[in-house]
Amino acid sequence: MVITGGGFAIILSIAAILWVIVAETYTLWKSPSAEWAGPPSQLKELASATSHTEVLALGIDEYREIAYTITGSGVVDFRSLPDQRPLQRHVIRALEGHSITSIDYQNLSHSAAIGTAAGVVVPIKISFPITYEGKIRVSTPQVIEGAPVVLDPDRGAITDLSYQYFDDEEEQMTVTGVLEERTLVFLQQKTTASFLGDPETSQTRIELPSDLGAGVSSLAMDPEQRNIFVALKNGEVLHWDIREPNAPLPLSQLRRAGRPAVRAMEWLIGGRSLVMGDDSGGLSVWFQVRDKVDPAKLPFREIHIMPKHQAAITAISASPRNKGFISGDSRGIIRVNYSTTETVNVSLTTTESPITYLAYAPRTDGMLALNQQAVLYNWYIHDPHPEITLSSLFNKVWYEGYDGPDLTWQSRSGTDDFEPKFSLTPLAYGTLKGTFYALLLAIPVSLCAALYTSQFMHPRLRGGVKPSIEAMAALPSVGLGFFAGLWLAPLVADMVPALLLMLIA
């Protein structure tokens, strides 16, 4: 009865282990999905005192409770998403009396730079400080206005704009703008703390030589403030290296004239991969790859080509947590994409109105979309493992920073912008290789030991050795390996050459 009960207990334990494995891995194979978080609503309800004005940017807080818009009148409106209730309005003081002509909004950092008809750039940052009233969490929207920057002393209108700012050992701000649709201007300002007095500030302003006769359709600058990309309406994409601010270096074109014009450019998390969407519905991901002829050069190349939309791309928003992004087109179609695997995980259809703005939720568990008719859509997104596909598990994948497609397993890193690498091929190969070399030693030793024990060993000695071996066969191999690794391996390590020669001698 004890033996029978033990056998059933082992069977049930193994079944329980298999059930846990299936339950834990089920989400890897479950299809991503999206569902309504609320009915579509007219954005006009955001304005409490005035009518709806042109929306320039759209964002959402971490808990998906508050949405905000930046409008053409220089106002930031906040609203409660659960009940569609206006919360508060912030008038950007530095924009009073100015006419807004352009904006660069960054969903990953909730920051924006607003260009005016007078050649002035006004940076703002939106945050949601958390306080607690008892056990109730309260988010209070705040708008922090930065110091205005004069991009054009002659007061020319800024028709397109790209802005980046970081504060590490020194404060550095870079603005690239298009003035009057014809002049490309680069401005960089550095502020260094001084132990002897006030901080020291230096500024560099250069007009970049370029032919913008075709007109600019999009503008982008990487977060590290090293590269500028200008997309023209004739399909060209121009590239400058701005690591030396006093002497920006024009590089080779990323795209030639004649291709569909790029209408939207967005950096994925980490600032190394640039997504481009064009008038034909094409989506591609570009990042730097080492030149095989001249290894010192790292040109940008078109690496991942995503499934094509059936209409022109009008909006792109990058995921704040992985290498995914959402894209919208002029027919009202929205897709949730993952760049590494080149897959579309979710496709959503709205009205026929073009999508003008998209906002990926900070936890990638939802998104907002705004169309040309000022209708706001709100979805929950369930896509916890977009990096897992059968192709990415077993085929070569081209990862950021790699010279080509590769089979790599690297599940973790020390940074949030890490690109997971889950190829099972090197794991399977390593297991088979280890097993093969283990069998080269184990098969001859075990067969010869069994033959010697049964045919040549003294019966008295065999009477003790044979039951010991049979008892060891009942022990888990993991336990034996743990014991061998901790105790036996250090003893054998110094004798490996002798043991190998012993087989021959």
Side-chain angles (χ1 to χ4, degrees), residues 255 259 274-277 282-286 302 304-306:
R255 288 167 46 118
R259 298 181 64 177
L274 180 64
V275 183
M276 297 185 186
L283 279 170
S284 58
V285 181
W286 300 64
E302 188 177 33
H304 299 300
I305 299 178
M306 309 300 297

Side-chain angles (χ1 to χ4, degrees), residues 5-18:
F8 278 113
I10 291 174
I11 293 173
L12 292 176
S13 299
I14 294 175
I17 292 173
L18 292 176

Side-chain angles (χ1 to χ4, degrees), residues 159-173:
T159 54
D160 215 324
L161 178 66
S162 183
Y163 174 91
Q164 293 289 349
Y165 169 88
F166 68 78
D167 187 1
D168 193 5
E169 295 180 357
E170 64 178 9
E171 181 182 329
Q172 180 171 308
M173 176 271 299

Side-chain angles (χ1 to χ4, degrees), residues 446-504:
S446 59
L447 290 178
C448 291
L451 183 63
Y452 175 75
T453 301
S454 64
Q455 301 298 326
F456 298 99
M457 186 177 286
H458 192 278
R460 184 180 300 171
L461 183 59
R462 182 170 64 245
V465 171
K466 188 173 182 293
S468 300
I469 294 176
E470 292 172 349
M472 289 178 62
L475 298 175
S477 58
V478 174
L480 293 177
F482 183 74
F483 171 76
L486 290 183
W487 175 77
L488 185 60
L491 297 180
V492 175
D494 297 333
M495 298 182 290
V496 169
L499 289 174
L500 295 177
L501 291 174
M502 182 182 69
L503 297 177
I504 301 174

Side-chain angles (χ1 to χ4, degrees), residues 338-418:
Y338 194 73
S339 66
T340 305
T341 58
E342 300 180 2
T343 54
V344 175
N345 295 336
V346 178
S347 183
L348 303 168
T349 303
T350 63
T351 62
E352 293 293 327
S353 179
I355 301 298
T356 53
Y357 295 100
L358 294 168
Y360 219 141
R363 296 184 179 183
T364 66
D365 57 349
M367 67 174 174
L368 295 180
L370 183 68
N371 68 11
Q372 204 171 55
Q373 298 174 349
V375 177
L376 181 68
Y377 298 90
N378 184 10
W379 283 283
Y380 288 114
I381 301 294
H382 182 76
D383 190 13
H385 302 288
E387 66 279 353
I388 300 297
T389 65
L390 286 176
S391 178
S392 66
L393 290 178
F394 297 102
N395 294 333
K396 289 186 176 182
V397 178
W398 201 330
Y399 301 104
E400 287 180 346
Y402 281 52
D403 295 335
D406 198 7
L407 297 169
T408 304
W409 172 274
Q410 186 183 1
S411 59
R412 295 183 181 274
S413 178
T415 60
D416 294 335
D417 56 15
F418 169 66

